[in-house]
Amino acid sequence: MRIEKFYYSESIAACEARKKELWEQLRGEMDMLQGLSEEEAKAREEKAINDMVRKMLPPEEQYVTFDPRKYDLFVVLAKFSVEIAQEMTANLLVYTEDGSGWIVLVGTSLYCENTKKDRLVKLLLAADGMHLSPSVDTGKGGPTDVNDAVQLAFWFDFYTTATE
């Protein structure tokens, strides 16, 4: 059996089509603005900017607070990740920065089976995000500075957003 899917290629094509559509829309708006007086054009431009800002900002009823339970979970998983790295023969980097925590595994082959696989799945399920990429040597001498390796990074957010 062979299955081939081109999700990346399709997403790039969709992105290009959306970019072309937005440019056409912008050109249409610019043509429409040319027929308006200067005051009307400024009013439309201000309204567009205000709408964009309103979409970007969260609603006023949201509160972001530090969640100590998330941080405690991260500390436990950091200790747990030492065993995972040892079993996978991978370099490990654990750090916190700006209310987030990172657990990064780097190795030429991140292979696991049976119970090792279950541990990695638990780490994946607990993380708020995961990023898999090739590792690059930046010359800083850290555990993630390895050429021709795989880098698996797990991201944890220590904040909780509450709404009224």
Side-chain angles (χ1 to χ4, degrees), residues 14 31 36 51-52 63 79 86-87 106 113 141 150 157 162-163:
D31 291 341
L36 298 175
D51 289 345
M52 187 185 316
Y63 299 97
K79 292 176 184 175
Q86 187 176 20
E87 290 172 354
V106 178
E113 60 183 27
V150 177
D157 183 15
T163 57

Side-chain angles (χ1 to χ4, degrees), residues 17-71:
R18 178 70 177 142
K19 191 187 315 181
K20 184 178 178 182
E21 177 185 320
L22 288 173
W23 276 112
E24 292 299 321
Q25 181 182 356
L26 181 62
R27 283 189 192 124
E29 289 176 4
M30 293 301 289
D31 291 341
M32 187 174 67
L33 288 176
Q34 288 177 356
L36 298 175
S37 70
E38 191 174 319
E39 292 173 1
E40 291 173 328
K42 282 184 181 180
R44 281 190 180 219
E45 187 176 320
E46 285 180 23
K47 183 185 180 306
I49 291 172
N50 289 336
D51 289 345
M52 187 185 316
V53 168
R54 228 178 272 115
K55 288 179 184 177
M56 291 170 47
L57 294 177
E60 294 177 16
E61 301 86 29
Q62 288 188 346
Y63 299 97
V64 179
T65 57
F66 182 80
D67 190 349
R69 293 175 298 153
K70 287 185 172 185
Y71 181 77

Side-chain angles (χ1 to χ4, degrees), residues 135-152:
S135 181
V136 178
D137 188 357
T138 60
K140 295 180 182 176
T144 60
D145 287 349
V146 180
N147 272 338
D148 302 325
V150 177
Q151 180 170 313
L152 183 58

Side-chain angles (χ1 to χ4, degrees), residues 35-160:
L36 298 175
S37 70
E38 191 174 319
E39 292 173 1
E40 291 173 328
K42 282 184 181 180
R44 281 190 180 219
E45 187 176 320
E46 285 180 23
K47 183 185 180 306
I49 291 172
N50 289 336
D51 289 345
M52 187 185 316
V53 168
R54 228 178 272 115
K55 288 179 184 177
M56 291 170 47
L57 294 177
E60 294 177 16
E61 301 86 29
Q62 288 188 346
Y63 299 97
V64 179
T65 57
F66 182 80
D67 190 349
R69 293 175 298 153
K70 287 185 172 185
Y71 181 77
D72 292 343
L73 175 63
F74 175 76
V75 170
V76 170
L77 290 171
K79 292 176 184 175
F80 185 63
S81 66
V82 173
E83 295 174 14
I84 294 172
Q86 187 176 20
E87 290 172 354
M88 295 175 83
T89 316
N91 289 355
L92 173 68
L93 174 63
V94 177
Y95 67 97
T96 59
E97 182 179 281
D98 297 331
S100 296
W102 294 87
I103 297 175
V104 183
L105 298 166
V106 178
T108 55
S109 174
L110 299 179
Y111 176 76
C112 57
E113 60 183 27
N114 300 331
T115 57
K116 297 176 193 175
K117 180 180 72 175
D118 293 338
R119 291 180 180 179
L120 192 62
V121 168
K122 287 178 185 175
L123 183 61
L124 177 64
L125 291 174
D128 291 304
M130 190 267 305
H131 185 246
L132 178 67
S133 64
S135 181
V136 178
D137 188 357
T138 60
K140 295 180 182 176
T144 60
D145 287 349
V146 180
N147 272 338
D148 302 325
V150 177
Q151 180 170 313
L152 183 58
F154 299 94
W155 171 70
F156 299 85
D157 183 15
F158 301 145
Y159 288 92
T160 300

